[in-house]
């Protein structure tokens, strides 16, 4: 089995390598290729990756290359973890929206749209090259904004599934609170990427007893604290929202906070510099503890599980993925991309049935789905008016004066990445 990681020079990659090494019985990789145009980073990450495999006794080979076409040749699956423009572009995404009093964030709102516009054309080019090299290869997208990027891939006819680590993080959290193995916890997880709610927590599978009311009663303070939301709000919702919902439920509070501290991008850039220095130490043969603060917790376990199921080697029977709606949420178009539990097999994911969604959630899901449609149109076709329409439709913007000003700033900050600008 051959797997290729595009964006293999990311500081995330040792987390992925560690998972591949520990879970080699689930996903028996014979060849792993790390592809990245940044030769210096790739050399550091590749060296540590080989030492991790060696320490854990993994028999597979790890190669590195800056040649995308060579790297994806013969791959059974290709994992995408890109950041077009790097941390500098992310820092922009997180700062210029604040000038209009709007949340600055790399996956939602105006900053998320900027990232989508930079990213979608690059990902589609990569996917076409994967299809030419090996049309049977699966593409697993971890590149944000995952929902929009996965929608672009699926609309272009690629064999693609989107992956996020939010659900597996909740699974691990709830398993710890319940004192059970993570594999025993099944989430009723519903919504869009970075716009989801846990409406049930079950033991043993989708038909198991719903223990969410008990979790909220016994551990509500801790759960709410992790989300930075008041306990009474979580109790009144009766569900556990993704922490990204705080950008919607406490927008103005978040803006005030963001204006008083360095951007997350600045923090991550400093962390990455330290991590890369560690990766260059020839004595280091395991992922450093600092990597846990970088983000992407449990990404490796989720990626192994998904790849194993798609490639026929096992994996959990049900997994939270980003895939086509196809009637799962009847108030959305079939070609919308949703994030739900699905049965994942070699032919791809099949979403499980979802109970009628509370209007409190359904209304927001429908509005953000409409935004994602407009965002994808802007990413594919360009033009100031399409950017404006996408921003005006987003619930974190929503006013024409803000949409106009943010459109100008988005184009100014991203001109080098936008062919039409």
């Amino acid at each position: 089995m051959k797997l290729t990681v595009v964006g293999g020079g990311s500081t995330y990659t040792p987390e992925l390598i560690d998972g591949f090494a520990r879970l080699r019985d689930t996903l028996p990789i014979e060849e792993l290729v790390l592809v990245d145009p940044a030769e210096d980073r790739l050399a550091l990450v590749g060296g540590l990756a080989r030492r991790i495999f060696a320490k854990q006794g993994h028999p597979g080979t790890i190669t590195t290359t800056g040649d995308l076409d060579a790297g994806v040749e013969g791959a059974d699956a290709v994992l995408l973890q890109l950041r077009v423009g790097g941390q500098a572009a992310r820092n922009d995404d997180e700062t210029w929206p604040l000038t209009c009093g709007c949340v600055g964030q790399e996956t939602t709102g105006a900053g998320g749209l900027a990232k989508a516009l930079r990213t979608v054309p690059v990902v589609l080019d990569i996917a076409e090259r994967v299809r030419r090299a090996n049309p049977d290869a699966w593409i697993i997208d971890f590149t944000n904004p995952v929902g929009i990027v996965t929608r672009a891939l699926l609309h272009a006819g690629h064999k693609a599934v989107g992956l996020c680590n939010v659900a597996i993080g909740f699974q691990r959290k709830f398993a710890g609170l319940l004192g059970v193995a993570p594999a025993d916890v099944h989430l009723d997880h519903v919504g869009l990427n970075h716009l989801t709610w846990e409406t049930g927590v079950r033991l043993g599978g989708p038909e198991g007893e719903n223990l969410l009311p008990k979790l909220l009663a016994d551990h509500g303070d801790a759960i709410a604290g992790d989300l930075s939301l008041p306990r009474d709000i979580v109790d009144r919702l009766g569900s556990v929202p993704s922490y990204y919902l705080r950008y919607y439920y406490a927008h103005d509070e978040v803006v005030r906070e963001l204006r008083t501290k360095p951007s997350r991008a600045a923090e991550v850039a400093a962390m990455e510099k330290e991590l890369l220095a560690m990766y260059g130490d020839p004595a280091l043969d395991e992922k450093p503890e600092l990597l846990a603060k970088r983000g992407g917790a449990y990404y490796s376990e989720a990626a192994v599980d998904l790849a194993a199921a798609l490639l026929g080697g096992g994996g959990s029977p049900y997994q939270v993925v980003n895939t086509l709606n196809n009637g799962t949420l009847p108030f959305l178009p079939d070609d919308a991309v949703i994030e739900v539990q699905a049965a994942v097999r070699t032919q791809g994911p099949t979403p499980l049935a979802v109970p009628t969604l509370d209007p409190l959630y359904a209304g927001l899901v429908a509005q953000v789905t409409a935004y994602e449609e407009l965002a994808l149109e802007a990413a594919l076709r360009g033009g100031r008016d399409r950017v404006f329409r996408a921003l005006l439709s987003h619930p974190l913007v929503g006013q024409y004066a803000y949409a106009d000003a943010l459109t100008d700033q988005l184009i100014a900050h991203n001109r080098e990445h936008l062919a039409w600008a």
Side-chain angles (χ1 to χ4, degrees):
M1 181 185 298
K2 176 180 177 179
L3 262 67
T4 300
V5 180
V6 180
S10 168
T11 53
Y12 270 134
T13 300
E15 165 72 26
L16 193 60
I17 299 300
D18 178 72
F20 287 159
R22 288 185 293 101
L23 303 172
R24 55 185 174 271
D25 291 339
T26 302
L27 189 68
I29 299 170
E30 297 168 292
E31 181 181 2
L32 178 64
V33 183
L34 307 180
V35 178
D36 203 294
E39 294 181 5
D40 292 347
R41 291 173 65 109
L42 190 59
L44 295 172
V45 172
L48 174 58
R50 294 185 188 95
R51 295 193 297 273
I52 291 173
F53 263 32
K55 181 179 182 179
Q56 299 197 29
H58 195 295
T61 61
I62 296 177
T63 58
T64 60
T65 181
D67 186 334
L68 174 67
D69 295 316
V72 301
E73 182 70 36
D76 297 289
V78 177
L79 278 68
L80 305 182
Q81 51 175 37
L82 313 177
R83 185 177 296 282
V84 179
Q87 294 297 334
R90 177 181 179 175
N91 186 70
D92 285 345
D93 295 343
E94 293 176 343
T95 51
W96 55 262
L98 296 173
T99 64
C100 289
C102 296
V103 160
Q105 213 279 329
E106 66 157 344
T107 66
T108 192
L113 177 60
K115 193 173 197 300
L117 298 185
R118 294 193 304 269
T119 304
V120 165
V122 174
V123 166
L124 288 179
D125 176 67
I126 292 169
E128 286 297 333
R129 292 161 72 175
V130 171
R131 181 154 54 187
R132 288 198 300 268
N134 184 5
D136 292 326
W138 278 102
I139 295 175
I140 298 174
D141 179 62
F142 192 66
T143 297
N144 281 317
V146 167
I148 296 173
V149 172
T150 304
R151 188 169 182 163
L153 288 165
L154 291 171
H155 285 198
H158 297 289
K159 290 179 62 176
V161 183
L163 178 65
C164 180
N165 68 318
V166 167
I168 195 171
F170 275 130
Q171 182 196 44
R172 298 308 197 260
K173 174 71 174 180
F174 295 150
L177 294 175
L178 293 169
V180 300
D184 292 335
V185 174
H186 178 94
L187 302 177
D188 293 347
H189 178 104
V190 62
L192 311 176
N193 180 241
H194 290 184
L195 193 85
T196 53
W197 297 262
E198 311 307 326
T199 60
V201 178
R202 304 178 186 277
L203 291 185
E207 305 302 323
E209 179 186 2
N210 182 10
L211 298 180
L212 181 58
K214 175 177 172 55
L215 279 167
L216 291 176
D218 295 348
H219 305 286
D221 287 341
I223 292 169
D226 286 346
L227 301 171
S228 297
L229 289 173
R231 165 73 185 270
D232 71 300
I233 295 298
V234 176
D235 286 340
R236 287 156 69 185
L237 289 173
S239 65
V240 179
S242 158
Y243 49 82
Y244 288 93
L245 264 298
R246 186 167 182 259
Y247 298 125
Y248 298 82
Y249 292 160
H251 176 273
D252 293 352
E253 178 183 341
V254 172
V255 168
R256 288 192 294 271
E257 291 173 2
L258 293 175
R259 283 173 162 170
T260 63
K261 62 182 183 181
S263 69
R264 174 62 178 166
E267 295 175 354
V268 170
M271 203 178 302
E272 285 195 335
K273 184 177 181 181
E274 188 174 350
L275 283 168
L276 289 170
M278 292 179 177
Y279 296 171
D281 180 357
L284 183 68
D285 56 7
E286 60 186 11
K287 63 177 184 180
E289 291 184 10
L290 178 62
L291 187 55
K293 299 180 181 179
R294 171 65 180 82
Y298 309 116
Y299 163 38
S300 59
E301 284 90 341
V304 167
D305 228 15
L306 180 54
L310 292 172
L311 299 177
S316 302
Y318 304 113
Q319 300 179 37
V320 173
V321 297
N322 285 259
T323 191
L324 290 174
N325 178 44
N326 282 339
T328 307
L329 299 179
F331 58 90
L332 296 183
D334 284 349
D335 65 352
V337 165
I338 59 174
E339 185 173 292
V340 292
Q341 286 277 7
V344 183
R345 304 291 185 268
T346 55
Q347 63 269 31
T350 302
L352 303 186
V354 174
T356 300
L357 200 58
D358 188 316
L360 178 63
Y361 311 146
L364 187 55
V365 167
Q367 186 174 0
V368 176
T369 297
Y371 152 76
E372 291 190 347
E373 180 179 346
L374 293 170
L376 181 55
E377 183 180 5
L380 294 175
R381 301 177 64 192
R384 186 189 187 282
D385 188 56
R386 292 188 181 92
V387 175
F388 170 80
R389 283 164 52 83
L391 287 170
L392 186 62
S393 73
H394 201 293
L396 297 183
V397 181
Q399 298 184 54
Y400 70 82
Y402 289 171
D404 253 333
L406 291 169
T407 295
D408 289 338
Q409 292 209 49
L410 185 155
I411 294 171
H413 283 280
N414 292 276
R415 197 175 300 277
E416 65 179 296
H417 300 291
L418 306 177
W420 52 268

